[in-house]
Amino acid sequence: MKFTLQPDDKAALEKIVKSGRTPVMVNRRAMILLKKAENKSSKVVAQEMGVNRHTVELWCNKYRNRTSEQTIDDILSTAEGRGRKEEISGEAKTWLISIACMKPKDLGYSAETWTTRSLTRHINLVAADAGYARLSTITASSVHRILDKANIKPFRIQYYCERRDPDFDEKMHNILLLYKQLSLQFDEEGRLLPFKDDKITHILSYDEKPGIQAISNTSDDKMPNESNGVIKRDYEYHRLGTLSLLAGIDLQTGDAVPLISDTHNSDDYIQFLTKLDKRYPDEDKIRLILDNLKVHTSQKVIKYLHTIPGRFEFVFTPKHGSWLNLIEGFFSKMTKQLLHGIRVASKDELKQRIYKYFDEINADPLVYHWGWHLEDVNPKEEVTIQTLIPECIDD
């Protein structure tokens, strides 16, 4: 009968043979399995290893007949007592998992997360001192099986949003209430209902996208042809600097309002507010949904708002809750449609192409709607807004 090894098992056996800490008996048994997998007869393997043929067949049968719970280490174990195998105890596995759930940097290493190889190396080094001598020769494949069975993946990072705002739920409800009231301004076919002449409030979702890189090619792109179906691009490139985009989308019309700057500060934000002020009739209110960036409430901004009292209203998202702002979806779409893979000859070209993208969007505007978790929101509630203008301020 032909004897074969699973690829993972073969790699584990080869590591055991190469390790200088492997007991002699374990090393010999691993060599028997490896030589047998080379399509050699049991007689030849026995002669090469200095054992009898029955010993070779014994370890081959142990490998073939192992249970799904047994690892290579279990099969080759040097446990005392005839026929007994020293398996890794539950306590030892628990200890191993506890180490896997720690960061390597907390144990004196430079890495942030484990790899299977680095975790195995650490376990091999410290297991004996911790009272788990059996783990001092455990292989990476066995460590992987133990972690996989426990559904522990210390080499993966999954991101989440921490609710750092104690008033998160209240502020989120305020944003959803605004979206609910917005939805009532449209008819069943999605058309905006006429404003009442005396109560016109334009509502915009606003945010910034700083650090947009202007990157140029060092060679021309090669476009698809009959022999090559993809764009080919030289991997080298030049960095030309960055731009900041300030943008708002009118949630009633779908129009997108951009402002591009080399900087990202209060002056830029005031310039954007000024642009909105000129865009809409003087008697209308302008309401912005925006995040808690300090620039939005700086002394410069407050002084500017004092010159046009009653013009702007602000609804702030919760801290660490910018995903509640509809413009995030617009920026995601813009990244996919325009910024992904973009190459330009200058920062000015990047600026002009971004403005051109907004022109294309506004030629056929899309109205953004919040589409979920609005069923239980009572639209008759009052939205909490801020004007950011203190009661008293020096002129």
Side-chain angles (χ1 to χ4, degrees), residues 36-281:
K36 184 64 177 173
E38 295 174 358
N39 205 24
K40 295 179 179 179
S41 67
S42 297
K43 183 177 180 180
V44 171
V45 174
Q47 290 174 346
E48 292 180 356
M49 295 301 303
V51 298
N52 61 57
R53 179 175 58 84
H54 296 293
T55 299
V56 175
E57 293 175 351
L58 169 67
W59 290 105
C60 290
N61 288 331
K62 283 181 178 289
Y63 178 81
R64 290 193 186 101
N65 300 327
R66 64 172 177 164
T67 66
S68 58
E69 300 294 325
Q70 288 181 302
T71 66
I72 286 293
D73 292 334
D74 296 331
I75 296 172
L76 305 181
S77 174
T78 57
E80 295 180 2
R82 185 173 181 179
R84 294 175 57 195
K85 295 182 289 294
E86 180 191 0
E87 297 187 1
I88 300 175
S89 67
E91 183 180 354
K93 292 178 181 178
T94 301
W95 176 80
L96 187 153
I97 291 171
S98 71
I99 297 296
C101 292
M102 300 173 66
K103 287 187 175 182
K105 70 181 185 69
D106 295 333
L107 296 172
Y109 298 100
S110 60
E112 181 74 10
T113 60
W114 294 110
T115 63
T116 305
R117 183 183 295 274
S118 65
L119 177 60
T120 303
R121 187 184 303 115
H122 176 75
I123 294 295
N124 291 159
L125 289 173
V126 304
D129 292 338
Y132 303 101
R134 173 65 184 81
L135 297 179
S136 62
T137 58
I138 192 171
T139 61
S141 60
S142 296
V143 169
H144 176 78
R145 289 191 189 97
I146 291 172
L147 295 180
D148 188 60
K149 188 173 182 180
N151 198 29
I152 299 294
K153 300 176 176 63
F155 41 82
R156 292 183 60 184
I157 298 176
Q158 189 176 73
Y159 291 90
Y160 70 99
C161 288
E162 179 71 24
R163 293 192 176 188
R164 296 191 175 96
D165 193 329
D167 301 320
F168 187 95
D169 291 338
E170 180 182 344
K171 292 178 180 178
M172 178 176 69
H173 179 77
N174 192 51
I175 296 291
L176 297 182
L177 173 59
L178 179 58
Y179 290 152
K180 181 71 171 185
Q181 293 176 352
L182 262 171
S183 68
L184 299 180
Q185 296 183 15
F186 296 85
D187 62 20
E188 293 181 354
E189 297 181 1
R191 293 174 298 195
L192 182 66
L193 298 172
F195 290 109
K196 294 181 180 180
D197 293 341
D198 58 339
K199 291 184 179 180
I200 299 179
T201 300
H202 304 278
I203 303 174
L204 294 94
S205 175
Y206 168 83
D207 200 6
E208 297 97 354
K209 191 175 182 65
I212 301 175
Q213 290 200 42
I215 298 176
S216 68
N217 281 339
T218 56
S219 303
D220 293 337
D221 288 342
K222 295 181 179 180
M223 301 307 293
N225 53 41
E226 294 180 356
S227 60
N228 174 60
V230 299
I231 298 174
K232 284 196 171 184
R233 173 175 289 170
D234 188 85
Y235 68 89
E236 292 186 348
Y237 57 86
H238 293 306
R239 298 180 187 270
L240 306 176
T242 61
L243 294 173
S244 292
L245 168 66
L246 294 75
I249 50 174
D250 191 315
L251 298 182
Q252 292 145 323
T253 65
D255 290 334
V257 184
L259 176 67
I260 301 172
S261 172
D262 288 327
T263 56
H264 182 210
N265 54 36
S266 296
D267 292 331
D268 299 319
Y269 180 54
I270 291 171
Q271 186 180 350
F272 183 84
L273 294 179
T274 303
K275 187 172 185 177
L276 293 183
D277 183 42
K278 295 178 180 179
R279 180 183 179 88
Y280 296 105

